[in-house]
């Protein structure tokens, strides 16, 4: 590969890591801080992506569109819609054990997928929505890519900063306390349900943001563009590998797992080239990669459950109540 | 009217398949206290094992099916020994996450071995029987009859055998089961064997009813959970009733909704139950 | 002869120690009663005898063989059976099935033992096919004790067998416990109805903060002014 090719690949790689980082940070608020099992990450991601695609995308006779709203408004609306969806799911499941949330979220993910596929007037069905404008469409090739990468990094930094601030706040301390012993927190007079709902909605809003950033990055969304189960799963593996409850772990997890994912592809190709991989496996390379990521998750769960950067709850500080 | 009855038949067939999965999910929850997310893919595996028997080894149908039930049970026990039993002490939530990983691994394994395309057990179309205008496929009779037979066997096992009763006891009160001297690890293994057999049967029946595909079981997971919750989690008998309700509701929804939204019906029913009565219609456990 | 013996047990549930050097002993044929304030660690001591608590130091022996870290199903096999304070029946199983679960490790014919339990607690015979969860508190306690008797234990551990029962049932349960004891089963029980329990006891222990405070014969403890004032409600 030429140097410029390598460089643009590197830009692409970091951009994807950034998108995932936002998703993982969102999941960390739900799972890491509060122990909520959201198995429908992809639903909030997709809703965010489609929202911004519809409100900023070009007009079409086939589906809703042509509002021509600016990039930032698209992102905000993506967060709002994802948040509203989360509110709905949260209200149903918030007072039940986390298994129900897990089941309800796969249900939501499935329904979102069905709607995206079948409500053509809204989403253009399986054809998806293309020509989603990016903020730097005027720039050329690699410059545009770099400018967007910088934008992504700014968003990652912003979300990270918010998450860190929250992490040290009394709010997150209550969330962690709920995770450890819900009854004790309730006995202390806190509204456990409200705290949970807030964490779930906020985390999902970040996932919506991740989806929107992705949509403007690739310029195209369709129901087939991401396998919902895989998208959700890979975000989970990133968080658990990086370190649940630790925001820096979330970032590291996104980087490491995406690198593993990317490398595994090249390795499978290389192995197939030198004939070390049975043909059948080589043709099913993506399935093999998913299998390996699954295996990686199980190994982490068995041997290093706290992840690369374990959670370190901040020392009790400054606050007296 | 005939149309309606025809849909009822489809609903009962689908309900029977869902029931076999939901019983397993319910039993596993009762004994191990976690929602088993790999259950759908365990069904898929069973279906493909049977395909390997029929197409790969050219076994007669019934031999292949029997082999598939056994092999799937073996895999289920193997997964439990390798993963779940080691994570059991940690927390049920970690078990759930692990089972999501297992789901993806099973699915991709199936795709690697058998490819991503649709498969069928037998080519050629069998002639449906007609009764007073109702069309019934021989396979549909086999599915409902097979499912009913398996459920009857399970019922006899749970009510009348030492280990069956121990399973119910452990589902009731695991600590008391332990200090009564019940070998709880044996009960766990037995639970996986039963869940594996039933899941494989569900997968095979689903494959007979429609086609085999690597995500066929995953797609059924939501109705399966919905049925288990509907019937009251941890209550295998409730799961059967829940499954029939879900199966019928899904098929009947096609009268008013596009067929694509069938899974949404299961979800909607589940949400109604969760809001209205989280212990299910027969008062099972709350997760 | 000493059957069950705990020496200097320290331990708890993973956090700090709940037991701070408890020692207990049950001799053949005895009724031994443990009393003490709420949260003293009485139930924890019972569970420690039964291998359900992390014992950090100290040891439990049964007939001079160490059983400190054996799993409950092994301990049951040796003839020590335990009725916990709470959740001590299988609610969705019938009365008969509850008894059968008590006999789970028996591979011989135990129908005679079931008849003996029914003789001891006649109401259970009538309700044999009824789910245990639907019974009254007193009847549930009968099921719980009956379940623990199914292995014909040498020592029966009872954690507050009369808690929450009406006076009529309390007397009945105590009577039955004496009958069980008369058949040669040693009894170790925790009781809140301390006076009543101590009056039937051969020996008693007063437990405070996870350690022995007093230890004497039942009548002596009842006669002890300090014990009476502080632990038996004056
Ligand atoms: N499963 C458990 N996990 C953690 N701590 C426990 C557990 N069970 C009891 N404890 C704690 O151990 C201490 C002793 O409890 P224990 O139940 O042994 O007291 P007790 O003397 O039986 O009281 P009571 O008369 O109320 O039954 C208490 O502080 C209690 O909070
Ligand atoms: Mg107690």
């Amino acid at each position: 590969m030429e140097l410029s090719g390598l460089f643009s690949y590197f830009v692409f790689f970091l951009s994807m890591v950034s998108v995932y980082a936002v998703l993982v940070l969102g999941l960390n608020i739900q799972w890491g801080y509060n122990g909520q099992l959201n198995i429908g990450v992809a639903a909030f991601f997709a809703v965010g992506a489609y929202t911004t695609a519809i409100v900023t995308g070009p007009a079409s006779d086939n589906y809703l569109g042509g509002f021509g709203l600016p990039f930032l408004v698209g992102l905000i609306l993506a967060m709002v819609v994802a948040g509203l969806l989360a509110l709905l799911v949260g209200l149903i499941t918030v007072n039940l054990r986390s298994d129900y949330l897990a089941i309800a979220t796969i249900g939501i993910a499935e329904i979102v997928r069905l709607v995206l596929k079948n409500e053509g007037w809204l989403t253009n069905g399986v054809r998806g929505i293309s020509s989603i404008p990016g903020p730097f469409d005027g720039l050329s090739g690699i410059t545009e890519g770099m400018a967007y990468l910088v934008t992504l990094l700014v968003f990652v930094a912003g979300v990270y900063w918010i998450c860190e601030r929250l992490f040290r706040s009394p709010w997150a301390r209550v969330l962690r306390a709920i995770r450890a012993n819900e009854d004790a927190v309730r006995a202390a007079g806190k509204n456990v349900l409200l705290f949970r709902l807030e964490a779930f909605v906020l985390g999902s809003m970040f996932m919506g943001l991740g989806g929107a950033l992705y949509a403007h990055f690739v310029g195209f969304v369709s129901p087939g563009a991401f396998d919902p189960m895989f998208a959700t799963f890979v975000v989970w593996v990133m968080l658990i590998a990086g370190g649940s409850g630790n925001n820096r772990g979330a970032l590291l997890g996104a980087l490491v797992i995406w690198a593993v994912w990317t490398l595994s592809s090249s390795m499978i190709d290389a192995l197939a080239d030198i004939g070390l991989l049975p043909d059948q496996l080589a043709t099913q390379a993506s399935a093999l990669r998913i299998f390996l990521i699954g295996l990686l998750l199980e190994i982490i769960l068995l041997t290093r459950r706290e992840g690369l950067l374990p959670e370190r709850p901040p020392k009790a500080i400054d606050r007296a109540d | 009217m005939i149309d309606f009855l025809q849909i009822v038949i489809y609903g009962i067939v689908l309900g029977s398949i869902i029931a076999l999965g939901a019983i397993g999910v319910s039993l596993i929850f009762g004994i191990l206290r976690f929602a088993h997310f790999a259950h759908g893919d365990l069904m898929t595996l069973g279906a493909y094992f049977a395909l390997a028997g029929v197409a790969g080894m050219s076994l007669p149908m019934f031999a292949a099916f029997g082999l598939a039930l056994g092999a799937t049970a073996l895999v289920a026990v193997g997964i439990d020994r390798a993963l779940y039993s080691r994570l059991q002490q940690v927390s049920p939530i970690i078990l759930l996450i692990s089972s999501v990983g297992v789901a993806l691994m099973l699915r991709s394994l199936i795709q690697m071995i058998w490819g991503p395309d649709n498969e069928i057990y037998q080519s050629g179309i069998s002639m449906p029987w007609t009764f007073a205008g109702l069309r019934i496929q021989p396979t549909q009779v086999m599915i409902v009859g097979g499912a009913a037979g398996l459920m009857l066997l399970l019922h006899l096992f749970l009510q009348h055998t030492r280990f069956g009763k121990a399973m119910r006891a452990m589902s009731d009160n695991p600590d008391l089961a332990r200090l009564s001297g019940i070998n709880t690890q044996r009960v766990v293994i037995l639970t996986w064997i039963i869940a594996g057999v039933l899941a494989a049967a569900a997968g095979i029946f689903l494959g007979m009813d429609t086609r085999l595909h690597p995500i066929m079981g995953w797609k059924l997971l939501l109705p399966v959970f919905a049925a288990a919750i509907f019937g009251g989690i941890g209550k295998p008998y409730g799961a059967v009733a829940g499954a029939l309700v879900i199966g019928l509701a899904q098929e009947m929804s096609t009268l008013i909704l596009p067929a694509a939204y069938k899974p949404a019906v299961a979800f909607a029913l589940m949400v109604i139950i969760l809001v209205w009565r989280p212990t299910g219609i027969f008062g099972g456990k709350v997760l | 002869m000493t059957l069950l013996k705990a020496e200097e047990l320290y331990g708890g549930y993973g956090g700090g120690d709940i037991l701070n050097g408890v020692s207990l002993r049950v001799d053949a044929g005895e009724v031994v009663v443990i009393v003490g304030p709420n949260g003293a660690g009485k139930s924890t001591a019972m569970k420690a005898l039964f291998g359900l608590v992390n014992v950090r130091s100290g040891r439990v022996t049964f007939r001079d063989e160490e059983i400190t870290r054996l799993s409950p199903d092994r301990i049951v096999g040796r003839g020590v059976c335990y009725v916990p304070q709470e959740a001590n029946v299988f609610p969705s199983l019938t009365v008969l099935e509850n008894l059968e679960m008590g006999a789970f490790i028996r591979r011989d014919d135990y129908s005679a033992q079931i008849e003996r339990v029914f003789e001891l607690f006649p109401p259970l015979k009538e309700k044999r096919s009824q789910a245990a969860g639907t019974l009254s508190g007193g009847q549930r306690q009968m099921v719980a004790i009956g379940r623990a008797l199914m292995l014909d234990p040498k020592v029966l551990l009872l954690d507050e067998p009369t808690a929450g029962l009406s006076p009529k049932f309390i007397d009945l349960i105590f009577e039955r416990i004496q009958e069980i004891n008369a058949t040669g089963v040693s009894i170790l029980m925790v009781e809140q109805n301390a006076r009543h329990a101590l009056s039937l006891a051969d020996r008693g222990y007063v437990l405070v903060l996870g350690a022995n405070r007093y230890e004497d014969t039942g009548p002596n403890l009842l006669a002890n002014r300090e014990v009476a004032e502080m632990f038996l409600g004056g």
Side-chain angles (χ1 to χ4, degrees), chain B residues 8-17 20 136-151 205 208 244:
Chain B
V8 168
I9 290 174
Y10 294 147
I12 291 172
V13 171
L14 181 61
S16 307
I17 296 170
L20 294 174
I136 299 180
Q137 302 279 351
T139 52
Q140 291 174 327
V141 175
M142 208 180 124
I143 290 168
V144 176
L150 285 169
M151 287 179 221
F205 291 158
M208 286 166 54
L244 285 174

Side-chain angles (χ1 to χ4, degrees), chain C residues 63-177:
Chain C
R63 288 182 160 153
D64 294 331
E65 288 173 41
E66 174 146 9
I67 59 167
T68 318
R69 281 172 191 86
L70 285 191
S71 64
D73 51 322
R74 295 279 187 73
I75 295 175
V76 162
R78 301 205 177 189
V80 182
C81 290
Y82 166 54
V83 180
Q85 184 173 351
E86 279 154 357
N88 52 19
V89 298
F90 299 109
S92 79
L93 269 58
T94 65
V95 169
L96 190 60
E97 286 170 339
N98 266 275
L99 299 182
E100 289 171 1
M101 288 302 104
F104 187 81
I105 62 171
R106 282 180 75 157
R107 303 316 317 268
D108 56 342
D109 177 16
Y110 49 77
S111 47
Q113 190 70 13
I114 289 184
E115 282 311 316
R116 279 170 62 188
V117 171
F118 285 160
E119 275 165 35
L120 205 56
F121 301 116
L124 298 189
K125 186 160 189 169
E126 268 167 57
K127 312 231 162 179
R128 60 200 296 164
S129 309
Q130 201 170 317
T134 62
L135 300 180
S136 73
Q139 290 167 343
R140 269 212 297 271
Q141 201 62 41
M142 294 177 189
V143 174
I145 297 173
R147 194 210 93 246
L149 286 175
M150 286 306 295
L151 293 179
D152 214 351
K154 300 290 171 291
V155 181
L156 183 61
L157 310 181
L158 300 169
D159 196 345
E160 303 205 13
T162 66
L165 300 189
S166 66
K168 190 188 85 188
F169 267 121
I170 293 179
D171 290 346
L172 184 127
I173 295 283
F174 276 136
E175 228 171 82
R176 292 297 179 269
I177 290 172

